[in-house]
Amino acid sequence: MSAQKKHFENHLSYVLAAAHRSISKSLSDRLRKHGIKIEAWRVMECLDAGERLTMGQLADRALVNPPTLSKLVDRMVLDGLVHRRVADEDHRQINLLLTSLGRMRMIQIREDVDAEDQNLAALLDETSIDLLRKALAKLS
Amino acid sequence: MSAQKKHFENHLSYVLAAAHRSISKSLSDRLRKHGIKIEAWRVMECLDAGERLTMGQLADRALVNPPTLSKLVDRMVLDGLVHRRVADEDHRQINLLLTSLGRMRMIQIREDVDAEDQNLAALLDETSIDLLRKALAKLS
DNA sequence: TGAAACTAGTTTCCAAGTCAAATAAATTGA
DNA sequence: TCAATTTATTTGACTTGGAAACTAGTTTCA
């Protein structure tokens, strides 16, 4: 058994939380000037990705709980970024759609997110990043 | 340039958030029966690790903001898990100490956390975990 | 059919988090 | 020495997030 493990800081949940904390902090600092939160950016990217999404699917992909998404979307509607439409097939479902303002703003925001990603990529080599991505994917 | 990157789900910030979300969910589900949150567990482990810590140092290591820590500690004091003591050298500082109840409870909780870690470890091989730990550490 | 069971999304309510200001102790330097 | 500044922590007003309850639409099957 590999040594270590005396220190609780070796727990995967700890290093993961630490990395997540630091990365979301710098990303959300950068998004602050757009007046938007990381989750809202994720919602917009999800919507832009093509298929029509219901609130439920969106909650899964944007990594937020349904009640939180509901409230987030309220604000985004108010800001004119998205709009709700009752789904044709199943009237309980809501399809969320990006407005053209939403798409425009998303593209601007994406520039900043990509820039932030460059910073991040500088900390690790290409292959580590790939390994990291794959390892993390297995944990989700 | 490696293909991919069409999908925003490849952003490191996304995979990291997804993994963090899923892992903290299962861990906090498990801690629920102890009536404790992940952050409180981290605080207790920090305190148990030996050196006397001030609120500031604790906030850093337990990955919570100072005001949040202050309030979390209020509750933990109420629950009899820790107690505050004004530091001798600098009277602005507070040293937080585990009570013996706190230590006892921490040891019980640690069993569950370790069990959860076993589950996690089963998803990845030993070397991936090491790589992951190292890569994440660079990001923090 | 149509009542019962189920599902999607929203709302409510409360616990917990944030930001900025307040407090209090330590340090600086005129 | 003591006012001004800096630092550590807490407080207070406000916001956010989550669990559970609620509403409304859909499916099941007797």
Side-chain angles (χ1 to χ4, degrees):
Chain A
M1 289 288 97
S2 61
Q4 302 187 326
K5 188 44 70 71
K6 279 196 297 245
H7 299 84
F8 86 101
E9 283 103 333
N10 288 323
H11 279 280
L12 225 38
S13 77
Y14 182 86
V15 284
L16 198 50
H20 177 251
R21 179 177 157 84
S22 127
I23 285 179
S24 359
K25 180 169 187 332
S26 50
L27 185 53
S28 63
D29 284 351
R30 204 186 262 267
L31 294 190
R32 184 152 304 124
K33 68 168 175 294
H34 297 279
I36 215 167
K37 314 212 306 176
I38 299 179
E39 288 77 15
W41 170 67
R42 288 204 294 252
V43 165
M44 292 196 284
E45 287 283 358
C46 288
L47 295 179
D48 190 53
E51 7 147 30
R52 227 164 236 220
L53 295 177
T54 65
M55 295 295 277
Q57 297 168 321
L58 202 49
D60 283 344
R61 304 208 192 165
L63 311 175
V64 293
N65 298 334
T68 306
L69 180 62
S70 233
K71 293 166 201 170
L72 174 57
V73 166
D74 286 347
R75 281 172 252 141
M76 294 175 77
V77 168
L78 230 37
D79 293 345
L81 302 174
V82 296
H83 63 103
R84 287 179 165 101
R85 167 172 301 171
V86 174
D88 319 322
E89 345 79 59
D90 185 335
H91 287 200
R92 288 170 305 181
Q93 300 185 7
I94 299 289
N95 288 135
L96 205 64
L97 304 165
L98 261 186
T99 61
S100 50
L101 174 64
R103 176 164 293 103
M104 212 167 72
R105 301 267 264 97
M106 185 203 61
I107 289 168
Q108 297 162 347
I109 294 165
R110 188 186 278 163
E111 283 178 26
D112 267 296
V113 177
D114 285 344
E116 188 60 34
D117 242 42
Q118 299 297 314
N119 287 356
L120 222 56
L123 298 176
L124 294 170
D125 53 298
E126 191 72 22
T127 56
S128 309
I129 294 186
D130 250 41
L131 284 170
L132 185 56
R133 247 203 293 267
K134 285 181 183 119
L136 290 175
K138 287 193 197 157
L139 299 177
S140 311
Chain B
M1 287 292 94
S2 61
Q4 305 189 324
K5 190 43 75 63
K6 281 196 295 247
H7 301 91
F8 87 100
E9 283 102 335
N10 288 321
H11 279 279
L12 225 39
S13 77
Y14 182 86
V15 284
L16 198 50
H20 177 250
R21 179 176 158 83
S22 129
I23 285 178
S24 359
K25 181 171 186 330
S26 49
L27 184 53
S28 63
D29 284 351
R30 203 185 261 267
L31 296 190
R32 184 152 304 125
K33 68 167 175 295
H34 295 279
I36 214 165
K37 315 214 306 175
I38 299 179
E39 288 75 16
W41 170 67
R42 287 203 295 251
V43 165
M44 291 195 285
E45 287 284 357
C46 287
L47 295 179
D48 189 55
E51 8 149 28
R52 221 161 240 223
L53 294 178
T54 65
M55 296 295 276
Q57 296 169 320
L58 201 49
D60 283 346
R61 304 208 193 167
L63 311 176
V64 293
N65 299 334
T68 306
L69 180 62
S70 229
K71 290 166 190 174
L72 173 57
V73 167
D74 286 347
R75 279 170 254 141
M76 294 175 77
V77 168
L78 230 38
D79 293 345
L81 302 175
V82 296
H83 63 102
R84 287 179 165 100
R85 168 170 303 171
V86 174
D88 320 320
E89 344 79 58
D90 185 335
H91 289 200
R92 289 169 307 179
Q93 302 186 107
I94 299 289
N95 288 135
L96 205 64
L97 302 165
L98 262 185
T99 61
S100 50
L101 173 64
R103 175 164 294 103
M104 211 166 73
R105 301 268 262 97
M106 185 202 61
I107 289 167
Q108 297 162 346
I109 294 164
R110 188 185 278 164
E111 282 177 25
D112 266 296
V113 177
D114 286 344
E116 187 58 35
D117 243 41
Q118 300 297 314
N119 287 355
L120 222 56
L123 298 175
L124 294 170
D125 53 297
E126 190 75 22
T127 57
S128 307
I129 292 185
D130 249 41
L131 285 170
L132 185 57
R133 247 204 292 267
K134 285 181 182 118
L136 289 175
K138 287 192 195 158
L139 298 178
S140 312

